[in-house]
Amino acid sequence: MTAPLTGLGLVLDDIATAEVERLEALHVPLAEAIRELVDAAILTTTDEETVRSATTTVREVTARLRREQVPGTAGVHHNADGRAWNWGNAAVGLRNAAAPPLVMATRTDGTAYGEATLGAAHEGPPGLAHGGVVALLLDHIMGVTASRYERVTFTGTLTLRFLRGTPLGHVRVDARIDSAEGRKVVVVGSLSDAEGVTAEAEGVFVVPRWAL
Amino acid sequence: MTAPLTGLGLVLDDIATAEVERLEALHVPLAEAIRELVDAAILTTTDEETVRSATTTVREVTARLRREQVPGTAGVHHNADGRAWNWGNAAVGLRNAAAPPLVMATRTDGTAYGEATLGAAHEGPPGLAHGGVVALLLDHIMGVTASRYERVTFTGTLTLRFLRGTPLGHVRVDARIDSAEGRKVVVVGSLSDAEGVTAEAEGVFVVPRWAL
């Protein structure tokens, strides 16, 4: 997300790209470690004393991290070089241990794809991904596809068709612009496992009048 | 979820309700502590040494919890008393620090409502809930409403209309059965903040042939 999106509450920060990358290299391992902790806390069958001691230790770590923190939320930032970071994002946030995270790439032809590994924290029906997690991954990639990192779009409607259950594990999402006319951009997307598509989606995204 | 749902991979466990409740009382504080840690890890601006030390400590806690754990995922369980638990669920799982968690109640008239508090880990656009998190909360409550805890249903389609951005903070979701004919149950739902509805949804849920 580069400068044209600034109107949406994005913050232009005077931080050098090298410093953004130093901070990412420092914080990503912490988020990854917490993601493992979330998984372990769901699955553990260890004794009461170990669970209580873990709870106390986690609270101590949190208190140390909170000594200095930004107010509110992480927000979406970019610098003058066009380097952007949205570390708290619920789908892709690299510092958000609650995000799967979805790892995305866009192609020059306007399509996008992404990958994620879903585990115990993403379960709905036994052994299957929660339908809402499927929706989260599709909503995110389709919104990015609509905006193409260069214009503001809001999701108007999103229609999801669940073809079959999505087993936990590795999934991929694909999206492309189906049509774009005036302020309306229609994006289609799908989520697949190794056997093929498990869910399809169509989204109507709207470019606000002030962004035309 | 009681016995009639067993066909879906639900596990009937020979665990007394009192023991289920003891385990919940032990593990819920750990999940709540990790939820705070997830938030702190997104927001912290503390020094490099503190972040590295937190990473190491989190890995140690995880290793202790993993010494004994269930294989695979948490699944959905119930006992002979009809007490059910789905601790890992992505929307409502009490032991899942990545779940908001949604707290739900169903009413005898077939409607349901729920509440959640969304924070830094649920952000999409700056200061607003991610559309996919809105979808997660609606998908979950609408699925439960369709199944009424007494029949198996699968989500067929889910259509979401985003009326405006949902500010982070306290939200509520409401759902009701709109129509039910043969194997098809139509559920409508909405998500609201203190100012009113921010997103509406309609879902078509299907009762599998074998469950009729």
Side-chain angles (χ1 to χ4, degrees):
Chain A
M1 299 188 193
T2 51
L5 295 184
T6 309
L8 197 59
L10 310 197
V11 177
L12 175 61
D13 269 334
D14 184 22
I15 301 180
T17 298
E19 173 63 4
V20 174
E21 282 168 13
R22 185 191 70 80
L23 286 167
E24 252 177 36
L26 174 65
H27 286 279
V28 166
L30 176 59
E32 286 172 350
I34 300 173
R35 219 169 267 131
E36 283 293 312
L37 176 62
V38 169
D39 185 86
I42 293 170
L43 301 178
T44 189
T45 53
T46 193
D47 61 283
E48 198 161 321
E49 178 45 35
T50 302
V51 176
R52 286 195 204 287
S53 146
T55 307
T56 302
T57 304
V58 167
R59 285 182 185 142
E60 286 162 3
V61 171
T62 302
R64 284 199 294 275
L65 293 173
R66 285 212 191 282
R67 264 182 229 147
E68 293 171 76
Q69 63 175 29
V70 295
T73 56
V76 185
H77 302 256
H78 63 101
N79 67 15
D81 298 340
R83 175 64 158 89
W85 59 103
N86 55 348
W87 288 328
N89 185 277
V92 297
L94 290 178
R95 285 179 56 178
N96 183 351
L102 172 64
V103 179
M104 280 189 52
T106 49
R107 301 189 192 89
T108 51
D109 63 359
T111 66
Y113 73 99
E115 299 184 59
T117 301
L118 304 180
H122 309 111
E123 192 175 34
L128 301 176
H130 195 292
V133 174
V134 169
L136 170 70
L137 298 176
L138 284 167
D139 177 71
H140 193 88
I141 196 169
M142 291 168 71
V144 170
T145 301
S147 71
R148 294 186 309 200
Y149 294 105
E150 63 183 35
R151 60 185 170 201
V152 178
T153 59
F154 289 97
T155 313
T157 62
L158 183 69
T159 303
L160 301 147
R161 279 176 298 280
F162 296 92
L163 307 180
R164 60 180 169 88
T166 301
L168 293 171
H170 182 262
V171 297
R172 67 171 283 160
V173 280
D174 288 273
R176 66 176 170 81
I177 292 178
D178 187 60
S179 67
E181 209 183 307
R183 296 169 49 219
K184 198 171 122 177
V185 184
V186 178
V187 176
V188 293
S190 62
L191 186 139
S192 310
D193 67 4
E195 309 300 315
V197 173
T198 67
E200 296 172 335
E202 182 176 297
V204 178
F205 297 84
V206 179
V207 182
R209 275 182 209 285
W210 55 261
L212 279 183
Chain B
M1 299 189 193
T2 51
L5 295 184
T6 310
L8 196 58
L10 309 199
V11 176
L12 175 61
D13 268 334
D14 184 22
I15 300 179
T17 297
E19 173 63 3
V20 174
E21 282 167 13
R22 184 191 70 81
L23 286 167
E24 250 177 36
L26 174 65
H27 285 279
V28 166
L30 176 59
E32 286 172 350
I34 300 172
R35 218 168 270 131
E36 283 293 311
L37 176 62
V38 169
D39 184 86
I42 294 170
L43 301 177
T44 189
T45 54
T46 192
D47 61 282
E48 198 162 322
E49 178 46 35
T50 302
V51 176
R52 288 195 204 286
S53 147
T55 307
T56 303
T57 305
V58 167
R59 286 182 184 141
E60 286 163 3
V61 171
T62 302
R64 285 200 294 275
L65 293 173
R66 286 211 189 282
R67 266 183 226 146
E68 295 170 75
Q69 63 175 29
V70 295
T73 56
V76 185
H77 301 255
H78 64 100
N79 67 14
D81 297 341
R83 174 66 157 89
W85 60 102
N86 55 349
W87 289 327
N89 185 277
V92 297
L94 291 178
R95 285 179 55 177
N96 183 351
L102 172 64
V103 179
M104 278 189 51
T106 49
R107 302 189 190 89
T108 50
D109 63 359
T111 65
Y113 72 98
E115 298 183 61
T117 301
L118 304 180
H122 309 111
E123 192 175 34
L128 301 176
H130 196 293
V133 173
V134 169
L136 170 70
L137 298 176
L138 284 167
D139 176 72
H140 193 88
I141 196 169
M142 292 168 70
V144 171
T145 301
S147 70
R148 294 187 309 201
Y149 294 104
E150 64 183 34
R151 62 185 169 200
V152 178
T153 58
F154 290 98
T155 313
T157 62
L158 182 69
T159 302
L160 300 147
R161 278 177 299 280
F162 296 91
L163 308 182
R164 59 182 169 89
T166 302
L168 293 170
H170 182 263
V171 296
R172 68 171 284 160
V173 280
D174 288 274
R176 65 176 171 81
I177 292 178
D178 186 60
S179 68
E181 209 182 308
R183 295 168 50 220
K184 198 171 122 178
V185 184
V186 178
V187 176
V188 292
S190 61
L191 185 139
S192 310
D193 66 4
E195 309 300 315
V197 173
T198 66
E200 296 172 336
E202 181 176 299
V204 178
F205 297 83
V206 180
V207 182
R209 277 182 208 286
W210 54 262
L212 277 183

